[in-house]
């Protein structure tokens, strides 16, 4: 039930996004254009190494360099427009949620929200609305953009060399195996942290409300030590969570760092056997980070979703 309760806020944000599907479609299309154009330098370097340099065609090299320059300029322009579209979309949805939430408060009987202070209501209208939209964009929109990047990159990798692509894709299941089994552990650890933090708040509120009585009975030292116990338990859980997360990051890094060397060894063998040229290896050395970078980000996003 807790998972459904947490996820409903993301679905709440998605309900507002569906009214802006044309703007989202434009953002996704721009992302596809940006990713595709970012592959132009990879193909250019491959052509220069495999064709222009062996034939000593300086004119072709100049043309290739000009193409790369123009591609970079176009990427900068499209990226700027995409960033502005996403920022405006995020602000528009946040404002709509804030307005709807405030309108909903006005429709409720005063007894419903009399239990909250003005500061708590302001936090719900402003901060909670921001968090809903931020979570929706961070855990839904960003992963979709990364998936687009992965699909386009893999498609081009097959165009460059299907044999090397299969070697690179063999590492993807390792990322999955390093994340999915530990998601439940992360969720359990983070739930314990949130529960302990609530206990700290309860304890602190209790002591602040009874401050006069504590001072009157000269209980300052005892109450300070009592609060310190709760804070120490919270810090211990937080440290354990961070330590576990760091270990996961290390495992992911080992996989992503080891993969290029495996591909290099296989590519060197393929070049010696005459299956492809050196330019293909150079192209793949540029493509591998473009593949494993988004994959690592998706793994991190899955941890954020558990939190």
């Amino acid at each position: 039930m807790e998972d459904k309760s947490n996820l409903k806020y993301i679905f709440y944000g998605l309900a507002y996004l569906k009214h802006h599907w044309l703007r989202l479609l434009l953002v996704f299309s721009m992302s596809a254009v940006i990713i595709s154009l970012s592959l132009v330098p990879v193909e250019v370097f491959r052509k220069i190494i495999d064709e222009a340099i062996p034939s000593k065609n300086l004119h072709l090299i100049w043309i290739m360099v000009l193409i790369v320059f123009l591609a970079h300029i176009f990427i900068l322009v499209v990226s700027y427009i995409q960033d502005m579209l996403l920022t405006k979309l995020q602000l528009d949805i946040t404002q709509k949620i804030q307005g709807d939430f405030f309108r909903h408060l006005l429709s409720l009987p005063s007894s419903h929200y009399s239990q909250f202070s003005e500061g708590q209501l302001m936090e719900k209208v402003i901060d909670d609305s921001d968090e809903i939209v931020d979570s929706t964009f961070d855990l839904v929109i960003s992963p979709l953009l990364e998936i687009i990047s992965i699909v386009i990159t893999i498609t081009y990798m097959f165009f460059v060399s299907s044999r090397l692509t299969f070697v690179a894709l063999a590492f993807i299941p390792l990322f999955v195996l390093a994340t999915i089994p530990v998601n439940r552990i992360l969720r359990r650890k983070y739930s314990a942290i949130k529960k302990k933090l609530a206990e700290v708040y309860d304890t602190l509120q209790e002591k602040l409300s009874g401050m006069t009585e504590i001072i009157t009975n000269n209980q300052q030292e005892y109450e300070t030590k009592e609060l310190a116990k709760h804070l120490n338990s919270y810090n211990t859980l937080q440290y354990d969570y961070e330590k576990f997360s760091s270990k996961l990051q290390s495992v992911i890094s080992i996989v992503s760092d080891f993969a290029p060397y495996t591909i290099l060894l296989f590519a060197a063998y393929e070049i010696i056997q005459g299956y492809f040229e050196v330019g293909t290896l150079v192209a793949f050395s540029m493509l591998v980070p473009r593949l494993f970078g988004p994959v690592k980000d998706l793994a991190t996003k899955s941890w954020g979703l558990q939190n």
Side-chain angles (χ1 to χ4, degrees):
M1 289 297 293
E2 183 181 355
D3 293 339
K4 292 181 179 178
S5 175
N6 292 332
L7 286 174
K8 73 178 182 181
Y9 297 108
I10 295 178
F11 290 123
Y12 187 76
L14 287 176
Y16 281 83
L17 272 176
K18 70 180 182 181
H19 300 296
H20 302 276
W21 65 272
L22 275 177
R23 291 162 73 177
L24 277 176
L25 182 61
L26 181 58
V27 167
F28 291 144
S29 299
M30 287 183 169
S31 180
V33 171
I34 293 170
I35 298 300
S36 300
L37 286 175
S38 68
L39 296 174
V40 169
V42 180
E43 181 64 16
V44 165
F45 278 110
R46 190 168 76 94
K47 293 289 185 183
I48 289 177
I49 294 173
D50 287 347
E51 298 178 15
I53 292 179
S55 63
K56 299 181 180 179
N57 190 338
L58 188 59
H59 178 69
L60 179 59
I61 294 177
W62 278 107
I63 293 176
M64 293 291 187
V65 171
L66 178 61
I67 291 174
V68 170
F69 176 76
L70 293 175
H72 275 296
I73 295 297
F74 199 77
I75 288 173
L76 288 174
V77 173
V78 178
S79 296
Y80 173 79
I81 297 173
Q82 184 193 45
D83 288 343
M84 292 301 99
L85 282 173
L86 276 174
T87 301
K88 186 65 168 60
L89 178 60
Q90 193 164 353
L91 290 173
D92 288 347
I93 294 175
T94 302
Q95 181 179 342
K96 185 69 168 63
I97 291 178
Q98 290 169 344
D100 288 349
F101 186 70
F102 183 71
R103 189 179 299 109
H104 179 66
L105 280 178
L106 296 178
S107 68
L108 296 173
S110 58
S111 59
H112 181 80
Y113 50 84
S114 60
Q115 56 184 314
F116 300 105
S117 66
E118 292 180 358
Q120 287 175 316
L121 290 174
M122 290 172 62
E123 182 186 21
K124 289 180 178 294
V125 173
I126 304 299
D127 293 344
D128 287 0
S129 298
D130 280 339
E131 292 226 359
I132 288 174
V133 178
D134 289 344
S135 296
T136 303
F137 273 72
D138 189 45
L139 298 177
V140 178
I141 304 302
S142 293
L144 286 175
L145 293 174
E146 287 164 352
I147 290 173
I148 291 174
S149 174
I150 291 172
V151 170
I152 293 176
T153 301
I154 291 176
T155 301
Y156 177 69
M157 289 172 75
F158 272 109
F159 169 76
V160 174
S161 172
S162 59
R163 298 164 70 91
L164 286 179
T165 302
F166 282 121
V167 174
L169 293 179
F171 286 90
I172 301 298
L174 296 180
F175 285 98
V176 177
L177 292 175
T179 55
I180 291 182
V182 300
N183 280 341
R184 186 178 298 275
I185 300 175
L186 282 171
R187 190 185 313 144
R188 186 172 65 249
K189 287 180 178 293
Y190 199 76
S191 295
I193 289 173
K194 297 295 285 185
K195 182 179 179 180
K196 179 56 66 175
L197 182 60
E199 292 179 6
V200 170
Y201 280 142
D202 288 341
T203 302
L204 186 59
Q205 181 183 20
E206 177 186 345
K207 297 185 184 311
L208 289 175
S209 61
M211 188 69 74
T212 303
E213 183 180 350
I214 292 173
I215 295 175
T216 302
N217 296 324
N218 197 27
Q219 295 291 313
Q220 296 95 323
E221 188 68 25
Y222 171 80
E223 297 296 344
T224 300
K225 290 181 179 179
E226 191 70 19
L227 178 61
K229 291 180 182 178
H230 288 279
L231 290 173
N232 184 60
S233 297
Y234 170 74
N235 288 334
T236 300
L237 290 174
Q238 187 74 34
Y239 177 76
D240 179 64
Y241 175 82
E242 294 297 334
K243 184 170 64 174
F244 187 75
S245 298
S246 296
K247 290 179 180 178
L248 289 180
Q249 290 281 7
S250 298
V251 171
I252 294 296
S253 296
I254 289 173
V255 175
S256 61
D257 292 343
F258 179 71
Y261 296 107
T262 304
I263 295 172
L264 174 63
L265 289 173
F266 182 78
Y269 172 79
E270 295 285 279
I271 291 174
I272 293 173
Q273 297 297 317
Y275 287 111
F276 50 74
E277 303 297 330
V278 177
T280 300
L281 174 58
V282 174
F284 250 79
S285 66
M286 299 171 69
L287 289 170
V288 168
R290 295 172 182 266
L291 172 62
F292 292 131
V295 170
K296 288 174 63 177
D297 289 340
L298 284 176
T300 304
K301 290 291 190 304
S302 72
W303 301 343
L305 185 58
Q306 302 311 311
N307 295 345

